[in-house]
Amino acid sequence: MNLVADCAACVGLCCVAPALSASADFALTKPAGRPCVHLRSDSRCEIHSSLRERGFPGCVAYDCFGAGQRTVSLLGPARSPRTLRGYEVLHQLHELLWYVADALGRPAAAPVHADLARRRSLITDLNSADALDSADPAAHRAAVAPLLRRASTLVRGRGPDHRGADLVGRDLAGSDLRRADLSTAYLLGASLRGADLRTADFLGADLRGADLTGADLTDALYLTRTQIGSAHGDATTVLPTGLHHPTHWLPGGG
């Protein structure tokens, strides 16, 4: 299952299906199912090269986990209500597959690998329009969540517990957060400059505006491209294998 977006094989579904609210992430408000005013007739964004400068950092960080091209392959290119719903379903399920793939790649989590593999098969077997119509992402999430939690515990062992913590704006620069549970933590605007975040759990953590300059995130669990894209960092930030420095982190990248 390809969990990397292929925009050329999509029809701009991410610019239509989600609702947007004017905020620091988006410069406009639009309801779900309505195309963004910047979506061109060829399904490309007319301000793609200047999204951050135009007030759309949320679009830069957004990742469909490959749900866009899979939706088109299963339901066709028309942006019908059925297709838009199918996209929203697949977006949630593909994100879940991202976490499952992470856990399956951890040898220490072997005791839950069989159960995770079974759950992955149930999701990847949704290969028809009818199957998507009846799919329940919440039910899949409820079944997978305890397995991901168990995998995290097996991999991390004992570490600082900050699960769901309010760390908004906190100065955590240089902190030793190895093997920390930061799942669902609020880290908006927090300084994690030079922090040791090796093998920390970031499942559902909010990293918008967090400063990861010089931080070491080697082997961090459940980290996504969206989380990285919404944070700040630079070439000195060490990311887990498979994740790359966003363009805007690098000199001249905007």
Side-chain angles (χ1 to χ4, degrees):
M1 181 65 64
N2 186 1
L3 301 179
V4 178
D6 180 1
C7 297
C10 187
V11 290
L13 295 176
C14 65
C15 303
V16 181
L20 303 182
S21 296
S23 62
D25 293 316
F26 304 105
L28 54 76
T29 295
K30 83 166 191 68
R34 178 180 297 176
C36 173
V37 296
H38 297 296
L39 183 63
R40 301 187 320 208
S41 59
D42 63 356
S43 299
R44 298 295 175 261
C45 174
E46 66 181 2
I47 62 169
H48 185 267
S49 62
S50 58
L51 281 167
R52 291 181 62 82
E53 295 82 355
R54 298 285 291 271
F56 292 88
C59 293
V60 176
Y62 184 87
D63 182 14
C64 78
F65 299 93
Q69 66 261 27
R70 189 177 177 204
T71 302
V72 172
S73 69
L74 291 176
L75 301 177
R79 299 191 196 116
S80 66
R82 190 185 199 189
T83 300
L84 295 177
R85 181 192 178 278
Y87 170 76
E88 293 284 26
V89 168
L90 284 174
H91 183 209
Q92 295 177 65
L93 294 178
H94 276 222
E95 182 177 0
L96 199 56
L97 288 174
W98 175 271
Y99 302 136
V100 170
D102 187 335
L104 286 172
R106 311 273 180 167
V112 294
H113 279 180
D115 287 336
L116 284 167
R118 280 192 289 272
R119 286 293 164 184
R120 179 177 61 181
S121 294
L122 290 174
I123 296 173
T124 56
D125 285 346
L126 297 171
N127 282 321
S128 70
D130 290 340
L132 286 185
D133 286 342
S134 59
D136 184 351
H140 285 285
R141 192 179 306 113
V144 170
L147 300 176
L148 296 177
R149 181 75 181 157
R150 176 62 177 152
S152 174
T153 301
L154 289 167
V155 171
R156 292 184 302 103
R158 301 182 65 143
D161 185 3
H162 298 293
R163 185 182 186 189
D166 183 353
L167 301 172
V168 175
R170 289 281 294 275
D171 185 359
L172 299 169
S175 295
D176 183 356
L177 292 167
R178 284 173 294 174
R179 302 181 179 276
D181 184 356
L182 292 166
S183 60
T184 67
Y186 297 94
L187 289 156
L188 290 84
S191 175
L192 292 162
R193 294 177 68 91
D196 190 343
L197 294 159
R198 287 175 290 172
T199 323
D201 183 340
F202 283 94
L203 182 65
D206 193 336
L207 289 170
R208 284 178 295 168
D211 188 352
L212 297 173
T213 302
D216 188 349
L217 293 98
T218 301
D219 291 331
L221 289 99
Y222 309 138
L223 196 63
T224 68
R225 291 180 290 261
T226 295
Q227 288 170 309
I228 292 300
S230 68
H232 302 297
D234 66 7
T236 67
T237 306
V238 181
L239 296 177
T241 301
L243 287 175
H244 305 287
H245 294 85
T247 302
H248 63 275
W249 283 16
L250 305 176

